[in-house]
Amino acid sequence: MKITPGGVTAAEWTKFSSLRSTWITTGISVFLLIAFGMIASASFSGDNMSSVGLVLSGSGLAALSVGVLGALLGAGEYTTGMIRATLAAVPRRLPVLWSKSLVAGSAAFVTMTAGAFAAFAAGSAVLNDNVDPLGLGDDGVLRALLGAGLYLGLVAVLGVALGMLVRSSAGAITILAGLLLIVPGLAPLLPDSIADAVTPYLPSNAGSAVMALTPTDGTLGPWAGLAVFAGYVVVTLAAAAYRLKKTDA
């Protein structure tokens, strides 16, 4: 029987969709995005914050959640030992990585884009009176909401790549959390000149720039930031591909 890319992708989708953890983690991701957006929108009373920035306040935690989903998909078969059967069925190996990445990234993009629009609708409904509301037709709003889906989809792919690179769910999740949450928090400890130069290019800072309506001082432009984050994902995928191809399962 000939192994085709479509067949490998269908097999990975079956594995992905049949796991209870997939639906639980996806549901948690969407919930975090909507719930934190509503809380921020209802409680914020300061200045210089757009309504879009408020409704997407949960994107950081949602990113960690979808990244965990990707890491579980990438590393789960190494934990159970099923990876040997998978690679025996797909001896070229690399289609497994591409298919897992496509499945996780596509699923995260679709669900989290829907979540971003739901967060926008729900957050706008409870927006604090001190914040000017924005509509979908205002400059940058659609780009920010779609960009949230793109960024979170790429985070899921990063999770898959890390999972297949380190071959441990716990290890991949730890590295992912460090990159997205801990490293940005440590950047201010650096000398100011170094921190100012490095901070915009850190993974989560670069990727989340696509969700900002307008760039501010010390941040990358929306698409430039997303491109930088995509570069991190590509490099990690390349490392995972090399290890998958060159080492034993």
Side-chain angles (χ1 to χ4, degrees), residues 22-245:
T22 294
W23 303 108
I24 293 174
T25 308
T26 300
I28 290 173
S29 302
V30 174
F31 172 78
L32 290 172
L33 192 58
I34 296 173
F36 276 80
M38 291 183 67
I39 293 170
S41 298
S43 61
F44 184 79
S45 59
D47 298 320
N48 301 320
M49 187 70 173
S50 71
S51 61
V52 173
L54 291 171
V55 300
L56 295 178
S57 295
S59 61
L61 289 175
L64 183 59
S65 185
V66 296
V68 167
L69 183 63
L72 292 174
L73 179 62
E77 289 188 83
Y78 286 97
T79 302
T80 62
M82 286 183 60
I83 190 65
R84 296 182 182 86
T86 296
L87 297 182
V90 189
R92 292 177 60 192
R93 295 193 173 197
L94 292 185
V96 174
L97 173 60
W98 310 143
S99 296
K100 286 181 183 291
S101 299
L102 178 62
V103 167
S106 298
F109 169 70
V110 171
T111 56
M112 300 314 295
T113 298
F117 277 89
F120 180 77
S124 297
V126 297
L127 196 64
N128 190 289
D129 292 337
N130 294 329
V131 182
D132 292 331
L134 294 173
L136 290 175
D138 288 311
D139 289 344
V141 174
L142 276 176
R143 185 259 301 150
L145 297 178
L146 289 172
L150 287 170
Y151 167 58
L152 294 170
L154 285 171
V155 172
V157 176
L158 179 62
V160 171
L162 287 171
M164 297 202 73
L165 177 61
V166 302
R167 302 182 175 183
S168 163
S169 298
I173 292 168
T174 299
I175 294 171
L176 184 78
L179 289 174
L180 298 183
L181 300 178
I182 298 174
V183 172
L186 295 177
L189 301 178
L190 297 171
D192 290 344
S193 58
I194 298 177
D196 291 343
V198 170
T199 298
Y201 295 92
L202 297 178
S204 57
N205 293 343
S208 61
V210 75
M211 295 183 283
L213 287 186
T214 56
T216 58
D217 291 340
T219 63
L220 298 175
W223 298 118
L226 190 66
V228 169
F229 184 74
Y232 285 109
V233 177
V234 169
V235 169
T236 310
L237 277 172
Y242 180 84
R243 187 175 186 196
L244 180 62
K245 194 73 174 177

